[in-house]
Amino acid sequence: MEVYIDGKFYPKADAKVSVFDHGFLYGDGIFEGIRLYEGNVFRLEEHLERLEMSAKAIMLQLPWTRKEIADVVCESCRRNNLTDGYIRLIISRGVGDLGLSPKTCPKPSIICIADKITLYPEALYTTGMKIITAATRRISPAALPPMIKSLNYLNNILAKMEALQHGYHECIMLNDQGYVAECTGDNIFLIHKGRLLTPASHAGALIGITRQVALEVAEQLGLKLCETNLTRYDVWNADECFLTGTAAEVIPVIEVDGRTIGSGKPGPMTARILESFRKKVSKEGTRIR
Ligand code: PXG
């Protein structure tokens, strides 16, 4: 495997960054997780647009055009002979002095890792997943807007550890007001009485690329879309529940906090959304070759 760092490809063992990189020292940077399906990069434009918005939010001037970044992504896939894979695109503030100020970092670094990822065991996509609510709250937008896909994942990692400690793969994170925000690396959706419900971004949800796809296909399936505040009560009493993410794709949830969701089996609408999602990823995208 070869990793792209600032204009060159390095073998995995030699793909290293400086300990003075502020991405490492302070988590000062942003990233995207992108999928490659059948030789096509899924929703590349959307990912790059979100990257640009994250960059703007942290006042990081990207010294590359969108086209140049897109080329880095595609070239990383070709270099590694990938047809299907997972791409981690990272922009860090770059090398600087000790001290928080980004002013000591003259140029940002760009890193692209093209590899494979499996987030949850394959069986869970057919049996459905059981999750719990974490005590750790999603960071408030007043502290750090959760829409920024930053290199600061400690908030989510603390929640993820709670899930794992209790024997679960994933957990719901509530926002500081107690409304459902999202899971640690996935957005959450409910289906109730013919409506598709999901927290709005201001409730603490990342504006997920897969979330957008789920909204599109649900609308095509005739569901009414509703971005609204959701409580745990709403989740427990939903007909169906599923999570979306670039790595997770669309995964059914059958139990939350010990409460069975719907029939206790992956729901029929969830199955149709998953099916439409799979069709979309196999025919859309930016060709790498
Ligand atoms: N919420 C959070 C906090 C995320 O980090 C999502 C929602 C889903 O967004 P997308 O755009 O992917 O539909 C994410 C994305 C990983 C991993 O390594 C995590 C994500 C994406 C890819 C890999 O666990 N999170």
Side-chain angles (χ1 to χ4, degrees):
M1 197 233 286
E2 292 197 1
V3 179
Y4 178 91
I5 307 175
D6 292 326
K8 278 202 282 191
F9 282 92
Y10 298 85
K12 186 174 176 175
D14 301 326
K16 294 175 181 169
V17 294
S18 165
V19 295
F20 291 99
D21 191 304
H22 280 210
F24 175 74
L25 285 173
Y26 304 113
D28 187 354
I30 52 178
F31 77 100
E32 282 295 319
I34 310 170
R35 283 293 273 262
L36 174 73
Y37 291 103
E38 300 175 31
N40 301 314
V41 183
F42 189 61
R43 302 264 159 134
L44 182 56
E45 282 296 309
E46 284 89 335
H47 280 287
L48 296 181
E49 187 185 14
R50 186 171 66 184
L51 184 78
E52 288 164 8
M53 291 170 81
S54 293
K56 179 161 190 182
I58 70 163
M59 295 179 92
L60 191 156
Q61 193 101 37
L62 295 171
W64 313 279
T65 62
R66 191 184 288 191
K67 169 81 169 55
E68 284 169 334
I69 301 177
D71 286 345
V72 165
V73 169
C74 295
E75 179 60 21
S76 299
C77 295
R78 287 192 295 266
R79 268 273 180 160
N80 290 288
N81 282 316
L82 290 173
T83 310
D84 292 272
Y86 173 76
I87 301 141
R88 172 61 58 96
L89 178 63
I90 304 146
I91 311 284
S92 80
R93 189 75 68 179
V95 171
D97 298 337
L98 294 179
L100 295 183
S101 172
K103 287 219 168 89
T104 69
C105 309
K107 67 173 190 357
S109 270
I110 177 168
I111 294 170
C112 189
I113 308 168
D115 202 356
K116 303 256 170 204
I117 192 171
T118 31
L119 200 58
Y120 305 119
E122 184 55 38
L124 292 182
Y125 288 83
T126 41
T127 60
M129 187 159 64
K130 299 179 180 184
I131 63 174
I132 54 171
T133 305
T136 303
R137 296 290 175 98
R138 191 75 179 95
I139 197 160
S140 152
L144 175 67
M147 299 81 123
I148 303 173
K149 209 161 160 55
S150 85
L151 297 183
N152 290 267
Y153 259 60
L154 258 189
N155 179 221
N156 305 52
I157 290 166
L158 289 181
K160 184 81 170 185
M161 288 193 298
E162 283 185 52
L164 297 175
Q165 268 169 1
H166 291 95
Y168 293 84
H169 291 285
E170 191 50 276
C171 57
I172 291 176
M173 298 183 77
L174 306 176
N175 66 20
D176 55 341
Q177 295 180 310
Y179 292 107
V180 173
E182 57 180 345
C183 291
T184 66
D186 308 318
N187 290 113
I188 185 164
F189 287 85
L190 306 178
I191 292 166
H192 196 60
K193 297 189 195 295
R195 293 201 303 167
L196 184 77
L197 307 155
T198 196
S201 70
H202 64 244
L206 184 86
I207 308 163
I209 306 296
T210 325
R211 176 183 184 274
Q212 193 53 43
V213 178
L215 289 170
E216 284 168 26
V217 300
E219 189 163 43
Q220 285 160 10
L221 293 172
L223 287 166
K224 285 200 195 74
L225 311 183
C226 192
E227 295 179 52
T228 185
N229 278 340
L230 296 171
T231 63
R232 292 211 287 164
Y233 172 90
D234 300 318
V235 179
W236 300 333
N237 285 294
D239 297 329
E240 301 182 30
C241 176
F242 64 89
L243 312 181
T244 66
T246 296
E249 303 183 305
V250 176
I251 185 156
V253 172
I254 53 163
E255 185 195 285
V256 179
D257 300 322
R259 280 82 162 175
T260 299
I261 305 301
S263 66
K265 297 215 161 62
M269 281 319 285
T270 303
R272 292 180 65 187
I273 291 168
L274 175 57
E275 191 191 340
S276 306
F277 172 80
R278 293 238 154 104
K279 271 199 198 122
K280 248 188 195 323
V281 301
S282 69
K283 63 169 200 266
E284 273 186 23
T286 306
R287 302 204 60 77
I288 59 161
R289 290 183 183 92

